[in-house]
Amino acid sequence: MPICRNVEALAGYVPGEQPKESGIIKLNTNENPYPPSPLVGEALRDFDYRKLRLYSDPVYVACRQRIAEINGCRPENVFVGNGSDEVLALFTRAFVETPDGTIGFFDPTYSLYSVLADIRDCQKRAIPLPDDFSWVAPPPDFEASAFLLTNPNAPTSVQYPHEEVRAFCRRFPGIVLIDEAYADFAETNCMDIATDSENTNTLVMRTLSKSFSLAGLRFGYCVGPERLIDALFKIKDSYNMDWFSQTLGLAALNDLPSMRANVQKIHATRSRITDALRQRGWKVLDSQTNFLFAAPPCDAKTLFEYLKANKIFVRYFPGPRTGKFLRITMGTDDQMDRFLAVLDSRE
Ligand code: PMP
């Protein structure tokens, strides 16, 4: 049985480890340590299982209305996916031709982008970020079918300046997707670029996985010009959002205050742990996300393994650009105290 050449050669995306044993402090996949809105619990309790007899709404009208209301656009400007990873996969299918199309992205960034290009069997072009991982404008003659731009970036936690991003989107000849998975933890965001009536080439994507504490539900969306949204609708599975995702996702979107309260708690933890690590000699980048990207004053990989042996999971990305750093998701204060205690037990 033949397997496609590109699939045979593919190094698939490796998600952060989901431990099987109990007692692990999980700071490795940027999940939210606090529960989602109580409205999600109510919606789950009130869910009539007999409704599952019917196919779910293929165009999720209620969710799109609410998302449009939150972001100041029309439902026609909203697409929803089974997690934002599904939106990304559909994006590469709708806007990048194979084999000649090119996907651009920064390096380092969300490592799925390169895998998606390999799955599509198209070209890819990575633009290296400077050593401090701050914004660098792609060269004026840079051309690609599409550009995937995470802001704030992952795994670096760094936010790019709004005006630079806007200027890039305006001059880029292809389609841009600004992946704002972590934007609720940041001071600014780029949603206005997507909703600007002059905009024809930019989508802004969000997820309920991080700030809304719903990684296990699978709900992501993007906002942008109707022509681009229509293209995504044309190629999606008919029922890509099941009834649970639609019902519980909507409940979460109807309770922004509880999401914001959790974000506030994570901000407080983030600044406390930033200070605590800097006092211990770490280089900590200024984070606009729910995680820190930080270089310890010792070998990062050895420390990663020491933490793991002590039941604390963080993320380590080997390689010349990222290998000196650990990515540490902000947990509860108790979890972070334990993290610091384990660090101190080694020194
Ligand atoms: N974009 C970025 C930058 C991420 O870090 C993640 C989480 N791995 C995603 C998108 C995907 O999130 P989800 O599919 O859970 O919405």
Side-chain angles (χ1 to χ4, degrees):
M1 281 284 198
I3 294 177
C4 294
R5 182 192 39 76
N6 61 315
V7 176
E8 191 104 76
L10 184 74
Y13 176 72
V14 184
E17 188 173 345
Q18 295 291 346
K20 305 282 175 295
E21 7 156 13
S22 60
I24 302 289
I25 296 184
K26 237 186 127 290
L27 311 176
N28 67 335
T29 46
N30 296 342
E31 290 141 330
N32 196 310
Y34 302 108
S37 158
L39 296 190
V40 174
E42 273 172 38
L44 190 56
R45 273 192 303 279
D46 295 346
F47 189 88
D48 180 356
Y49 77 96
R50 287 167 295 196
K51 193 176 178 179
L52 294 174
R53 193 174 61 75
L54 302 174
Y55 282 113
S56 58
D57 177 355
V59 290
Y60 17 85
V61 171
C63 292
R64 285 164 72 214
Q65 262 162 1
R66 177 66 186 136
I67 292 165
E69 200 175 281
I70 291 171
N71 294 295
C73 63
R74 294 183 311 125
E76 289 79 359
N77 301 112
V78 179
F79 179 80
V80 184
N82 188 245
S84 51
D85 280 348
E86 188 197 23
V87 180
L88 287 168
L90 290 169
F91 175 89
T92 63
R93 281 161 60 187
F95 304 119
V96 186
E97 309 255 12
T98 47
D100 296 330
T102 303
I103 304 181
F105 44 82
F106 290 117
D107 175 45
T109 192
Y110 184 25
S111 52
L112 178 69
Y113 300 161
S114 166
V115 178
L116 288 173
D118 293 340
I119 292 172
R120 281 295 280 145
D121 206 10
C122 66
Q123 312 300 310
K124 52 187 176 183
R125 194 162 156 208
I127 301 203
L129 290 169
D131 284 346
D132 62 357
F133 304 118
S134 61
W135 170 261
V136 59
D141 60 348
F142 179 78
E143 278 193 25
S145 332
F147 200 94
L148 294 169
L149 195 163
T150 319
N151 197 27
N153 194 17
T156 66
S157 79
V158 172
Q159 173 94 344
Y160 304 130
H162 180 278
E163 278 318 301
E164 303 279 358
V165 174
R166 176 197 283 279
F168 169 67
C169 294
R170 286 221 172 118
R171 73 174 164 78
F172 183 66
I175 316 274
V176 186
L177 182 139
I178 306 177
D179 178 346
E180 291 200 333
Y182 300 100
D184 286 325
F185 301 101
E187 277 158 34
T188 58
N189 63 68
C190 292
M191 187 54 86
D192 63 312
I193 301 177
T195 55
D196 182 345
S197 59
E198 308 269 289
N199 161 41
T200 55
N201 74 336
T202 302
L203 295 160
V204 167
M205 185 175 76
R206 298 275 175 88
T207 176
L208 302 197
S209 294
K210 319 290 180 182
S211 55
F212 285 90
S213 314
L214 285 171
L217 187 69
R218 313 309 298 136
F219 191 118
Y221 68 86
C222 70
V223 168
E226 213 174 314
R227 195 172 77 89
L228 306 186
I229 297 294
D230 285 351
L232 294 170
F233 270 108
K234 266 194 209 169
I235 62 166
K236 80 179 184 76
D237 286 350
S238 306
Y239 309 104
N240 66 326
M241 298 300 290
D242 63 43
W243 277 133
F244 285 123
S245 300
Q246 294 193 33
T247 309
L248 306 186
L250 182 61
L253 290 164
N254 279 332
D255 185 6
L256 299 182
S258 87
M259 177 275 278
R260 289 187 183 128
N262 287 342
V263 166
Q264 286 306 316
K265 284 195 267 185
I266 290 166
H267 277 169
T269 309
R270 185 176 80 188
S271 74
R272 182 170 77 87
I273 302 303
T274 300
D275 292 347
L277 291 180
R278 284 181 181 157
Q279 275 161 17
R280 287 163 172 79
W282 291 52
K283 178 184 168 187
V284 185
L285 301 185
D286 284 327
S287 170
Q288 290 282 305
T289 62
N290 66 336
F291 58 87
L292 298 180
F293 199 53
C298 60
D299 182 64
K301 180 146 194 282
T302 311
L303 181 57
F304 164 78
E305 275 153 10
Y306 179 78
L307 288 166
K308 190 167 174 182
N310 283 278
K311 296 192 161 213
I312 297 181
F313 284 20
V314 298
R315 196 86 192 261
Y316 175 69
F317 298 94
R321 302 302 310 280
T322 50
K324 291 193 175 70
F325 290 80
L326 296 179
R327 195 195 69 186
I328 305 154
T329 306
M330 293 299 99
T332 61
D333 281 315
D334 284 353
Q335 290 176 323
M336 298 319 290
D337 286 342
R338 173 76 193 137
F339 164 75
L340 293 176
V342 169
L343 279 187
D344 292 342
S345 72
R346 185 167 182 267
E347 279 155 8

